[in-house]
Amino acid sequence: MNPVTNAAPTLPPSGGPGVIAIDGPAASGKSTVGFALAARLNYLFFDTGAMYRVVTWAGLDAGVDLHDPAAIGLLAETLDIAILPAGEAQDDRHLTVLVDGQDVTWAIRSPLVDQNVSIVAAMPRVRAALSQHQRQIGVRYARGHAGMAGIVMVGRDIGTVVLPDAPLKIYLDAPIVERAHRRFLELERRGKQTPFAQVLADMRERDRIDSQRAIAPLRPADDAQIISTAGLSVQEIVARIVALAEMDTQPATPYPL
Ligand code: DC
């Protein structure tokens, strides 16, 4: 797998937290907030959910049985997944996702992938392969790398499993009806008309699987700051996290290697 690669020179540590872990359920605002926060701090934005989506998309595309842990595990271990900054693309993307060189940034956001990704994300072999890769990227960027001063890593288990020593952990949450409404509007914007009742039911099922699975279930880390995003603007949430990050920088707390 190709991690984010960039030849730009490495920056010295910024004195900020270096790593900000953001976890939370689907459509809790992780991606929008994480992206805006990363831009504000000159950190890399890294969405780990995209990796689980890529494996699911590739399984569907190749006609692999998504309930076959050996076949899906092998895909997770061998696919060439690259999560890159959005670059020049003018289509609202927060990052560009390539698999074996093919741009699947939007293909991995389809309702079919939405419906199946939790099954794939519950498989131990898939989690082992992807979280190891995520951890390597987190550690690489923690002290500044490739022109970025740190990393904002977004997912379900970043604060609990992938980067448990992250100096700043955020858990975003919002009521399920609000989250389903956000996802409904997002799908509508992309021309994918899906009945609200179905979006809500899919999200309920995804929450259930993500939070009840045996390995790395969705839950806030004990030391996470929990922020309810209901009724708050993206700017307000980002400002809260920046304030927490600034508190965290006195004195600087480098990520342990
Ligand atoms: O955040 P998202 O909706 O793109 O995540 C897609 C799926 O991947 C979701 O069902 C949970 C799973 N996931 C996970 O298990 N661990 C992560 N670190 C990120 C996502």
Side-chain angles (χ1 to χ4, degrees), residues 2-253:
N2 285 338
V4 175
T5 52
N6 191 326
T10 298
L11 287 182
S14 66
V19 175
I20 302 179
I22 304 186
D23 292 301
S28 54
K30 301 183 302 293
S31 189
T32 313
V33 167
F35 181 71
L37 178 68
R40 170 97 169 254
L41 299 176
N42 186 35
Y43 279 25
L44 178 74
F45 170 66
F46 194 91
D47 173 14
T48 58
M51 300 181 87
Y52 292 93
R53 287 174 176 275
V54 166
V55 177
T56 308
W57 175 85
L60 288 165
D61 190 57
V64 175
D65 177 2
L66 291 186
H67 291 89
D68 178 347
I72 299 296
L74 190 63
L75 271 182
E77 287 161 6
T78 54
L79 283 173
D80 182 3
I81 305 174
I83 312 280
L84 306 168
E88 301 302 306
Q90 299 285 327
D91 59 3
D92 282 353
R93 65 181 61 191
H94 289 158
L95 10 96
T96 289
V97 182
L98 303 181
V99 60
D100 294 331
Q102 182 184 351
D103 188 336
V104 293
T105 306
W106 293 114
I108 63 167
R109 307 270 160 205
S110 73
L112 193 59
V113 171
D114 269 356
Q115 282 154 19
N116 288 285
V117 65
S118 289
I119 300 164
V120 168
M123 294 176 171
R125 203 168 140 188
V126 171
R127 298 207 73 81
L130 300 189
S131 20
Q132 187 198 16
H133 187 61
Q134 292 156 11
R135 179 156 216 286
Q136 284 167 352
I137 291 170
V139 168
R140 182 176 314 140
Y141 279 85
R143 294 182 177 182
H145 179 71
M148 305 282 177
I151 183 167
V152 175
M153 191 173 281
V154 165
R156 300 291 190 289
D157 61 341
I158 309 306
T160 51
V161 174
V162 177
L163 299 169
D165 298 323
L168 180 56
K169 301 178 186 176
I170 306 293
Y171 187 90
L172 297 182
D173 208 352
I176 187 163
V177 173
E178 174 151 344
R179 292 189 284 115
H181 189 238
R182 285 179 197 163
R183 182 54 50 86
F184 172 80
L185 294 177
E186 187 189 311
L187 288 168
E188 200 176 53
R189 264 199 311 279
R190 301 210 319 265
K192 306 232 182 280
Q193 302 290 342
T194 315
F196 177 74
Q198 189 190 323
V199 177
L200 180 61
D202 286 351
M203 191 159 285
R204 210 179 287 283
E205 180 61 2
R206 212 134 76 81
D207 279 2
R208 189 188 66 74
I209 301 176
D210 289 345
S211 51
Q212 291 182 11
R213 69 185 175 217
I215 299 187
L218 169 67
R219 67 167 182 82
D222 293 340
D223 50 350
Q225 308 281 339
I226 299 178
I227 301 178
S228 172
T229 61
L232 291 180
S233 69
V234 173
Q235 290 83 349
E236 284 169 323
I237 302 164
V238 168
R240 276 194 199 187
I241 300 176
V242 168
L244 290 165
E246 281 165 358
M247 274 167 43
D248 227 53
T249 62
Q250 305 299 330
T253 47

